[in-house]
Amino acid sequence: MAFGTESRKRKAITRDVPETSDVESDAEFGDGILEGILSQSEDDSADDSVEDESDEEGDDEDDLEALDSDEIPSEDEADGVVEKRGSLQEDDHKPNYTVTTDANGGERYVYDEINPVYDSDDSDAAAATNTIGNIPLTFYDSYPHIGYDINGKKIMRPAKGEALDALLDSIEVPKGWTGLTDPATGKPLNLSQEELEILRRIQTNEMPEEGYDPYPATVEYFTGIEEKMPLSSAPEPKRRFLPSKHEAKRVMKIVRAIREGRILPYRPPEEREQEEDEDVHYDLWQDEQPRADHVMNIPAPKMAPPGYDMSYNPPPEYLPTKAEKQAWDSTDPEEREKEYLPTGFDALRKVPAYDTFIKERFERSLDLYLAPRVRKNRLNIDPASLLPKLPRPEELKPFPTVCSILFRGHEGRIRSAAIDPSGLWLATGGDDGTVRLWDTSNGRQIWSVKIGDEEAVNVVRWRPGRDAVILSAAAGEDIFLITPPVVDPETETASVALLDTGFGYATNATPALTAHGQRKEPVAKWTRPGSRLQDEGVLIRITVRTTVKVISWHRRGDFFSTVSPTAQKSAVAIHTLSKHLTQIPFRRLPGIAQTVQFHPSRPLFFVATQRTIRSYDLQKQELVKIIQPGARWISSFDIHPGGDNLIVGSYDRRLLWHDLDLSTRPYKTMRFHSKAIRAVKYHKGGFPLFADASDDGSLQIFHGKVVSDMMENATIVPVKVLKGHKVKSALGVMDIDWHPREPWCLSAGADGTGRLWM
Amino acid sequence: MDTPMVDAGRQGQVLVYFHTESPDIELPEGKRQLLVPTDVRRYGLSQILNSESMLDTTSPIPFDFLINGTFLRTTLDEYLTANGLSSETTVNLQYVRSLIPPLYEASFEHDDWVSSVDILSSTSVAGTWGKNSVAQGQERILSGSFDGLFRVWNKSGQAIVTSASASAGGHTSSIKAAKFISPTQIASSDMDRVVRVWNYREAEDQLSAKVKPTLELYGHKRSVDCIAVHGPSNRILSASADCSIGLWSTEASSAPAAPPSLLPSAKRRKVTTSVTIPQRGALSMMSMHTAPATAVIFNPLDPTVAYSASQDHTVRTIDLVTSTLVDTRTTSHPLFCLSALPGISSQLLAAGTSARHITLLDPRVSATSNQVMTLRGHTNLVCSIAPDPNSNYGLVSASYDGTCRVWDLRSSRQGTREEGGGSVGEAVYVIDRESQKDASKKPVGGEGVKVFGVAWDKEVGIVSGGEDKMLQINTGRGITKA
């Protein structure tokens, strides 16, 4: 590092000149002198990295300032500067080192041996100097020595020659002989050649300095020629010779200001010193006081003290292995744990320059003016802990997990499926117009009847209650009430009786009259379906005006409601089995009716239109509540057997759980399917389960536990996705139902199979 | 240097202590401990046991060996290494008569799904109830089918007789259960709520026979899914989907009259039968279950006690003398079949559940724990179980997953937490449907492969019938050299 800066400094100096000259050349200097230097500087800077430029600029500025401080730089000075620099440049022109490769393979600068010129520089090494000071040498006349050298040793008197020697000397005077004795050394004082030359010059009235040119060629900065025709021949105006009043005024103003102390003629010297001292370093956190933790206050970062690994020659255990080095290299600089890699050098002088110095400075600057000092809040939260605490699905057993029995036989889709209240039979209706009955426990089809000639069977539903076995099915505009011939004669008789009692009532009833006194067209006709179907067990056909899509039975088994979404007024109809009576409860509905449900315990009736579900009190005949699930198009809904909760499935893939006591908005929205949800159903036999069926061919089983405690919300846990139904023409599972006792789920698929999941 | 030494040690011998629970093949006291080479397998050990110095059997008896409740399937050495035992320990080897792998023998084709199977042989229960015992080679297989007919087959695959059609007094709906009462009597039940008793008489050449309906028993309101018979006392038990258990007599004279409301009306009977068969009612109709009863059996040791299983998760003990409920054992799943395992010292019942396993129950009143053991391995509902006639510890089960599995109760392990702990057994052999041999994929929901009935007889082997309209026979033949 130290080495690096040194070399940098030297380099910076070498390149000072051209830069300065660049600046100055415009002003006064001719380009000629500086041409070569400029080009050389270019050569030099070619080797140097760009990084150095910031330093150079700093130096340049210093120089410029220095120049600026003299108001008008005199030519000589300027010239001198240039020349001096030029000579420096000259010295540096040939490097005083050679570059070789050292043991580590790096560059090594080998400098020439310094030749100490003792005769010129080193006065210590000269002959002993008398240290007696400024006293006459005659004091030592009686001594054999004439003084003491710097080491306190006697300087012996030089031997005096014999008289003959003195005579010979006087005859052959050596050059520069003066006949004097050097008082300092006691030796004869002889003059050197140069001194003699200077003496000669002085004697011949020449300039004593050698090579001095008393008449140098004049460099004509200003012309010395007097113009014959000056621009103006007007005599000098008088004002040139009068002191200016205006100037006097201004001077007086300044003088007054100085007197009053408004202008300080000189800056106080201590101030100036301070200014020089305080460079450009600011300690941002100099007067940092410990403050309370706050967003707007970020305490200064505490740097960790340097460790062993930061040493230039760390212990070997701190040095990274090859793999670690590779890993460090391969990681992104931002993700590195340490910004540096511990490196060992066996000598401090082998430590190279800090290679990221500039980069680091640059980034610090960026940090200072770009990056807001905002605390980076690391989220040290385990994502799992954010999830609500739900019981594991394994703990919520039993729920259906695998397809145990497959019911195959329908041609085309199965549109609807229902398990009878005893759990023995499964009824399905499909596109082939047949209603089929299957044995739930072994998958055997035990009975089938074709009720729709051209129409598909849209819905099959069992009448609740164990006293009779009645199946209702709808194909087209017809609703059929069926007693399948699989039951014992007792039950069959009871079922037939239940279905047939209404015939007498219907014939005895007085037909409703319109306002005009005409017989009103009945909304539905209750008839016998014909002998063929009657033999099969189909006992009653109810013909309404439009296609029936939904049948929903009241829990007592006397009422059932049908929905014909395409109808205008008679979309929802309520049928009374014991009277063979069909009523239209709603003259107008806000939207297309989708499905209906009777409340499992109270006299409430729920009607779902595309976007809302309305609940009506059948006794008071008023609207109780409007539930807004927020779904775009409700496909189905089901009421929890407890009566306080509702699940809604929608064609926009959402499954919504409503708590009727809480709000008209959903308590929970689940969006797990990739396609529309066709059917939703609660388990009605005591298991806290519900399921939905979707067009993506899967069923999802949820654990939905409702507690009687009003303070506690329902626990909803998705427990199983049941896949298996094939998607046919974008339709997957059409209908689902639950076994009345067991946690078994039944699904009817568009692929023509029914599946029982256990 | 060391390795050969170690090898020599490994190839050495281990002290084995032979013991068994079958007294007839027990070794004399002095011969029970033996040094055997560690590289022997089951076959080698079996040979050692059969040798002259040990048991000295006239014909070799294949043995299986149990160490710590698991069957030895490797060499002794591998077992020791796997369990980290040194060869210096004494190994306790329990030897049992080997379960012979059931190999496919034959398939008898039907017109419709086979719902139940039964076997008449000299060693079967029904065979022992007859006046004349069944001759060797004259075993009969009875199969009830969903087309409303049952068939009696001989072992070579000839249908000796087919039951009468509906017009001739036969079943008007699918037969759900059919059983030999004695070599001359058959009982069958159907989905039309009727239990029928038939007289079965074979011709002299034993290649044809006649079945004549002798009794129609009315009383159930739903499909009769299972019947159990007891020849000596002329009793039939039936389990029906109407949640009740019926007790019937096979003799018209001792049976009460049929309840008229349950007799089929003339209008509903599509075909008028030319024959008139006496119609009788139940001796006792016990409506004790809350969900469809699926299986009923007599206690094999005491015909006045019956056990019934139901989809309401319970196994109930019934005292038939008073027709009262004695005990209720509640399990956690709907039960679909029941079988007694009389061989084990205590009375033990095996019940197949909808949760794809078999639960072993101890129905004694004194028993405190409900489930003794669970047999896991089936992938669908278990609908039929038959005990192993050769062993007290074996049983075979049939399931909707299209397999029959053979189990040995002696081999067990500790159940994992997911399985609810307890003792868990795993199948020894799996019998697949021969009709599905070429199928590459297992059908979903047991479609076309469901096995509805299984029976195991000493003479005939394992007979099973199912949705593939096949009656399949598997027998143990030969001994695999393990």
Side-chain angles (χ1 to χ4, degrees):
Chain A
M1 175 74 208
F3 168 72
T5 36
E6 226 169 81
S7 72
R8 198 190 310 279
K9 267 182 191 163
R10 190 170 52 241
K11 283 174 189 167
I13 289 167
T14 56
R15 265 166 303 113
D16 268 349
V17 180
E19 300 275 332
T20 318
S21 65
D22 272 350
V23 175
E24 296 289 307
S25 61
D26 289 336
E28 286 157 282
F29 302 130
D31 291 332
I33 315 165
L34 305 161
E35 199 66 61
I37 303 162
L38 249 178
S39 65
Q40 189 184 341
S41 80
E42 269 163 17
D43 291 344
D44 251 14
S45 60
D47 323 332
D48 287 318
S49 55
V50 189
E51 292 163 12
D52 292 345
E53 269 171 23
S54 62
D55 267 16
E56 290 160 20
E57 266 163 30
D59 288 357
D60 289 345
E61 270 160 23
D62 288 349
D63 290 349
L64 282 176
E65 259 175 49
L67 286 175
D68 286 344
S69 60
D70 310 324
E71 308 281 3
I72 307 155
S74 71
E75 298 132 48
D76 293 359
E77 271 176 7
D79 204 5
V81 170
V82 174
E83 266 181 11
K84 197 173 90 191
R85 287 181 183 179
S87 67
L88 265 171
Q89 185 67 46
E90 205 82 333
D91 285 348
D92 262 12
H93 181 58
K94 183 176 154 260
N96 56 346
Y97 56 84
T98 53
V99 184
T100 58
T101 316
D102 66 2
N104 296 328
E107 276 184 352
R108 186 180 174 195
Y109 295 88
V110 179
Y111 290 90
D112 300 333
E113 281 295 317
I114 295 167
N115 182 25
V117 188
Y118 293 114
D119 53 355
S120 65
D121 281 351
D122 202 343
S123 55
D124 289 339
T129 316
N130 205 342
T131 59
I132 53 172
N134 195 10
I135 51 161
L137 206 62
T138 51
F139 284 19
Y140 287 90
D141 279 348
S142 54
Y143 298 103
H145 61 279
I146 55 161
Y148 303 92
D149 69 1
I150 199 148
N151 294 324
K153 290 217 172 103
K154 288 172 180 167
I155 302 173
M156 301 311 289
R157 194 181 298 273
K160 295 230 181 188
E162 296 294 26
L164 183 61
D165 293 336
L167 180 73
L168 284 175
D169 281 351
S170 63
I171 294 163
E172 202 174 1
V173 181
K175 201 137 196 208
W177 178 84
T178 52
L180 299 172
T181 314
D182 186 356
T185 57
K187 286 176 182 168
L189 183 69
N190 291 346
L191 291 178
S192 65
Q193 186 62 41
E194 289 103 321
E195 283 164 340
L196 289 174
E197 184 64 24
I198 289 167
L199 284 175
R200 184 194 63 79
R201 292 224 185 93
I202 290 168
Q203 282 168 346
T204 55
N205 267 344
E206 284 176 9
M207 283 294 180
E209 197 180 332
E210 192 191 4
Y212 177 73
D213 183 10
Y215 312 110
T218 319
V219 180
E220 293 195 282
Y221 295 108
F222 300 99
T223 177
I225 301 157
E226 209 168 32
E227 298 289 338
K228 287 271 179 4
M229 294 282 286
L231 287 175
S232 167
S233 59
E236 288 281 290
K238 187 185 176 185
R239 63 175 178 276
R240 298 264 168 89
F241 306 98
L242 284 178
S244 162
K245 273 183 186 170
H246 172 72
E247 277 180 6
K249 231 180 187 173
R250 289 197 63 186
V251 168
M252 274 318 290
K253 200 176 174 183
I254 292 165
V255 166
R256 255 200 310 275
I258 291 169
R259 275 190 198 139
E260 285 167 20
R262 277 188 281 126
I263 293 177
L264 294 176
Y266 300 107
R267 199 176 281 172
E270 70 276 359
E271 223 177 308
R272 184 172 292 176
E273 267 171 41
Q274 229 175 40
E275 208 175 60
E276 277 166 8
D277 281 351
E278 101 194 303
D279 244 343
V280 275
H281 306 299
Y282 300 97
D283 186 358
L284 286 172
W285 299 291
Q286 202 171 25
D287 50 354
E288 183 83 354
Q289 301 287 331
R291 277 194 282 176
D293 201 24
H294 190 260
V295 197
M296 296 305 291
N297 168 49
I298 298 162
K302 262 235 165 74
M303 288 300 193
Y308 287 111
D309 56 345
M310 284 175 148
S311 163
Y312 75 93
N313 191 12
E317 63 263 30
Y318 288 92
L319 290 172
T321 61
K322 207 168 191 179
E324 279 170 354
K325 214 178 257 175
Q326 213 162 23
W328 191 85
D329 281 332
S330 60
T331 46
D332 192 74
E334 289 208 343
E335 284 166 10
R336 282 172 188 165
E337 214 166 286
K338 274 190 253 175
E339 286 174 352
Y340 57 90
L341 202 61
T343 324
F345 300 98
D346 43 3
L348 194 55
R349 68 184 154 82
K350 290 183 177 167
V351 178
Y354 183 41
D355 52 350
T356 56
F357 177 75
I358 299 299
K359 193 161 177 251
E360 195 191 270
R361 277 289 169 88
F362 177 71
E363 274 171 359
R364 271 196 211 178
S365 307
L366 281 188
D367 276 353
L368 280 175
Y369 88 94
L370 282 182
R373 289 178 64 205
V374 176
R375 193 194 307 262
K376 203 172 179 182
N377 277 327
R378 278 248 173 75
L379 274 180
N380 282 329
I381 306 166
D382 180 20
S385 70
L386 294 173
L387 293 169
K389 293 259 179 303
L390 288 178
R392 283 171 52 231
E394 290 79 46
E395 292 162 4
L396 301 174
K397 278 182 177 173
F399 52 81
T401 50
V402 290
C403 175
S404 283
I405 296 169
L406 194 103
F407 304 90
R408 197 188 289 277
H410 269 289
E411 292 155 23
R413 293 175 203 138
I414 302 182
R415 293 208 174 196
S416 181
I419 300 181
D420 92 295
S422 69
L424 288 176
W425 303 300
L426 157 68
T428 55
D431 273 5
D432 54 1
T434 59
V435 172
R436 288 166 200 247
L437 215 61
W438 313 75
D439 191 331
T440 317
S441 63
N442 57 27
R444 171 107 183 159
Q445 179 186 320
I446 49 179
W447 177 78
S448 151
V449 65
K450 189 168 173 68
I451 56 167
D453 291 333
E454 297 295 317
E455 310 265 8
V457 178
N458 278 321
V459 57
V460 287
R461 288 289 177 263
W462 291 92
R463 175 187 175 271
R466 296 227 183 171
D467 53 333
V469 175
I470 294 171
L471 176 68
S472 59
E477 288 113 49
D478 296 330
I479 305 157
F480 295 91
L481 297 177
I482 308 160
T483 53
V486 292
V487 292
D488 57 302
E490 247 179 34
T491 319
E492 191 171 356
T493 318
S495 310
V496 171
L498 203 71
L499 289 177
D500 287 352
T501 45
F503 275 118
Y505 186 91
T507 47
N508 292 339
T510 48
L513 298 177
T514 57
H516 304 291
Q518 290 168 328
R519 254 187 89 165
K520 210 173 174 181
E521 180 76 15
V523 286
K525 274 185 280 181
W526 293 61
T527 52
R528 291 283 188 195
S531 61
R532 178 186 72 83
L533 287 175
Q534 234 166 311
D535 283 348
E536 296 278 354
V538 184
L539 292 180
I540 290 173
R541 181 219 301 263
I542 308 162
T543 312
V544 292
R545 287 168 192 168
T546 45
T547 306
V548 174
K549 292 275 189 188
V550 175
I551 299 176
S552 176
W553 280 86
H554 185 258
R555 67 181 184 284
R556 295 226 181 85
D558 196 21
F559 303 104
F560 65 97
S561 177
T562 57
V563 181
S564 326
T566 48
Q568 296 295 321
K569 285 179 184 167
S570 57
V572 178
I574 295 181
H575 310 268
T576 313
L577 185 63
S578 57
K579 294 177 183 173
H580 284 197
L581 181 68
T582 301
Q583 290 162 295
I584 307 293
F586 306 107
R587 284 289 152 218
R588 172 158 296 167
L589 271 173
I592 302 167
Q594 293 295 312
T595 172
V596 291
Q597 288 270 338
F598 287 96
H599 191 277
S601 51
R602 279 182 287 161
L604 294 174
F605 185 56
F606 290 79
V607 180
T609 56
Q610 278 184 353
R611 291 187 177 231
T612 60
I613 298 172
R614 287 151 188 265
S615 77
Y616 296 91
D617 192 319
L618 287 176
Q619 278 174 347
K620 295 180 192 161
Q621 304 195 331
E622 61 179 20
L623 177 66
V624 180
K625 202 170 207 174
I626 301 177
I627 300 151
Q628 293 171 315
R632 296 233 183 83
W633 194 324
I634 296 169
S635 63
S636 64
F637 73 98
D638 196 21
I639 304 165
H640 191 270
D644 286 338
N645 293 277
L646 199 79
I647 41 171
V648 182
S650 76
Y651 287 118
D652 56 351
R653 295 179 278 164
R654 272 183 275 192
L655 176 67
L656 308 122
W657 176 290
H658 277 272
D659 193 325
L660 295 179
D661 292 339
L662 284 179
S663 150
T664 57
R665 292 269 164 204
Y667 158 63
K668 205 147 218 167
T669 304
M670 285 157 282
R671 218 171 137 159
F672 300 143
H673 280 293
S674 59
K675 293 264 179 67
I677 293 175
R678 290 251 158 212
V680 290
K681 198 79 110 193
Y682 277 111
H683 192 279
K684 304 276 166 64
F687 285 99
L689 292 169
F690 64 98
D692 64 352
S694 162
D695 273 350
D696 60 12
S698 70
L699 286 89
Q700 282 178 358
I701 310 293
F702 294 86
H703 173 93
K705 195 174 188 181
V706 176
V707 281
S708 52
D709 183 8
M710 295 288 278
M711 299 307 290
E712 208 171 319
N713 281 325
T715 320
I716 302 166
V717 186
V719 288
K720 188 79 188 171
V721 179
L722 301 176
K723 287 179 188 162
H725 280 290
K726 288 183 189 75
V727 179
K728 285 244 169 112
S729 55
L731 292 173
V733 187
M734 307 290 284
D735 197 9
I736 44 168
D737 199 7
W738 286 94
H739 191 276
R741 286 183 315 270
E742 299 298 335
W744 299 346
C745 188
L746 170 83
S747 60
D751 54 355
T753 63
R755 281 160 206 249
L756 185 68
W757 309 81
M758 287 186 185
Chain B
M1 274 296 280
D2 282 345
T3 339
M5 292 283 286
V6 170
D7 272 353
R10 285 285 166 86
Q11 292 302 324
Q13 295 183 320
V14 67
L15 190 63
V16 164
Y17 178 74
F18 289 108
H19 62 103
T20 185
E21 284 176 8
S22 318
D24 54 326
I25 49 167
E26 205 160 21
L27 281 166
E29 195 69 55
K31 290 184 178 175
R32 289 183 188 171
Q33 286 207 356
L34 192 70
L35 272 170
V36 296
T38 52
D39 58 344
V40 290
R41 290 173 179 270
R42 184 205 66 81
Y43 185 61
L45 284 168
S46 188
Q47 277 181 320
I48 292 171
L49 265 185
N50 279 307
S51 65
E52 282 176 34
S53 59
M54 298 293 281
L55 279 173
D56 195 13
T57 48
T58 45
S59 63
I61 306 169
F63 289 111
D64 257 325
F65 297 89
L66 282 154
I67 310 179
N68 272 335
T70 52
F71 279 111
L72 181 71
R73 290 285 178 249
T74 57
T75 65
L76 267 177
D77 181 38
E78 280 161 354
Y79 174 82
L80 291 175
T81 325
N83 289 278
L85 298 171
S86 87
S87 57
E88 285 172 24
T89 51
T90 310
V91 179
N92 269 311
L93 272 184
Q94 186 191 352
Y95 59 97
V96 297
R97 279 201 173 80
S98 183
L99 269 176
I100 297 161
L103 297 179
Y104 171 71
E105 191 108 313
S107 280
F108 304 163
E109 205 167 326
H110 287 68
D111 295 337
D112 208 336
W113 302 0
V114 180
S115 60
S116 70
V117 289
D118 196 23
I119 298 167
L120 177 71
S121 77
S122 56
T123 49
S124 72
V125 188
T128 57
W129 286 333
K131 288 171 195 127
N132 317 316
S133 66
V134 181
Q136 191 82 24
Q138 294 305 318
E139 291 84 13
R140 295 289 174 262
I141 300 163
L142 172 67
S143 67
S145 170
F146 272 78
D147 56 6
L149 306 174
F150 65 76
R151 293 167 180 83
V152 180
W153 309 78
N154 65 12
K155 269 179 84 179
S156 51
Q158 285 167 301
I160 289 173
V161 73
T162 302
S163 72
S165 65
S167 57
H171 285 284
T172 53
S173 180
S174 304
I175 288 182
K176 291 300 282 280
K179 273 212 159 75
F180 279 109
I181 305 174
S182 70
T184 55
Q185 243 181 343
I186 291 170
S188 62
S189 72
D190 68 359
M191 278 174 68
D192 256 355
R193 309 166 292 279
V194 188
V195 179
R196 280 184 168 80
V197 182
W198 308 74
N199 198 341
Y200 170 73
R201 190 162 298 132
E202 280 186 17
E204 288 300 310
D205 57 357
Q206 292 176 330
L207 287 173
S208 65
K210 275 185 180 168
V211 282
K212 206 179 79 188
T214 56
L215 206 54
E216 283 182 5
L217 299 170
Y218 289 90
H220 280 301
K221 293 179 178 179
R222 297 283 184 271
S223 152
V224 183
D225 289 336
C226 177
I227 54 172
V229 291
H230 189 253
S233 60
N234 294 323
R235 289 289 181 269
I236 301 175
L237 275 171
S238 63
S240 161
D242 63 0
C243 316
S244 58
I245 305 293
L247 176 66
W248 318 81
S249 169
T250 57
E251 289 164 338
S253 54
S254 62
S261 63
L262 291 175
L263 291 177
S265 59
K267 196 190 90 191
R268 292 305 312 274
R269 185 169 276 194
K270 286 168 210 156
V271 277
T272 44
T273 52
S274 52
V275 284
T276 47
I277 303 153
Q279 298 170 333
R280 291 291 181 271
L283 291 173
S284 144
M285 187 60 66
M286 293 159 279
S287 202
M288 53 182 51
H289 284 288
T290 57
T294 49
V296 65
I297 51 165
F298 282 100
N299 184 329
L301 305 179
D302 181 4
T304 62
V305 175
Y307 303 108
S308 70
S310 154
Q311 285 190 39
D312 64 4
H313 305 195
T314 60
V315 171
R316 296 182 197 233
T317 310
I318 309 162
D319 179 19
L320 292 178
V321 179
T322 55
S323 298
T324 48
L325 176 68
V326 175
D327 184 42
T328 304
R329 296 276 145 171
T330 309
T331 67
S332 46
H333 298 284
L335 305 175
F336 278 84
C337 55
L338 192 65
S339 174
L341 301 168
I344 305 175
S345 58
S346 64
Q347 273 294 335
L348 199 60
L349 300 180
T353 70
S354 70
R356 303 167 283 278
H357 60 250
I358 298 162
T359 301
L360 295 182
L361 297 154
D362 188 346
R364 291 174 303 170
V365 183
S366 57
T368 46
S369 77
N370 247 343
Q371 292 179 32
V372 180
M373 193 173 169
T374 322
L375 305 179
R376 289 179 189 275
H378 276 298
T379 57
N380 208 335
L381 186 152
V382 181
C383 63
S384 183
I385 297 179
D388 184 353
N390 304 311
S391 154
N392 292 337
Y393 303 95
L395 60 99
V396 64
S397 65
S399 158
Y400 283 8
D401 61 8
T403 62
C404 291
R405 280 167 206 252
V406 182
W407 313 80
D408 192 306
L409 302 183
R410 286 166 295 201
S411 171
S412 70
R413 61 175 168 87
Q414 191 62 35
T416 60
R417 236 192 72 187
E418 212 168 67
E419 294 166 338
S423 181
V424 171
E426 278 170 359
V428 183
Y429 296 114
V430 179
I431 305 166
D432 284 309
R433 295 309 284 175
E434 198 63 21
S435 55
Q436 294 294 317
K437 213 167 64 174
D438 303 327
S440 56
K441 230 174 82 182
K442 250 193 156 180
V444 178
E447 193 193 8
V449 297
K450 294 188 202 88
V451 185
F452 291 119
V454 68
W456 195 348
D457 185 78
K458 223 176 210 171
E459 315 288 336
V460 181
I462 298 169
V463 177
S464 55
E467 201 180 324
D468 57 355
K469 303 177 186 173
M470 291 289 182
L471 188 139
Q472 183 175 326
I473 304 177
N474 290 67
T475 46
R477 264 192 320 202
I479 308 144
T480 50
K481 294 183 180 179

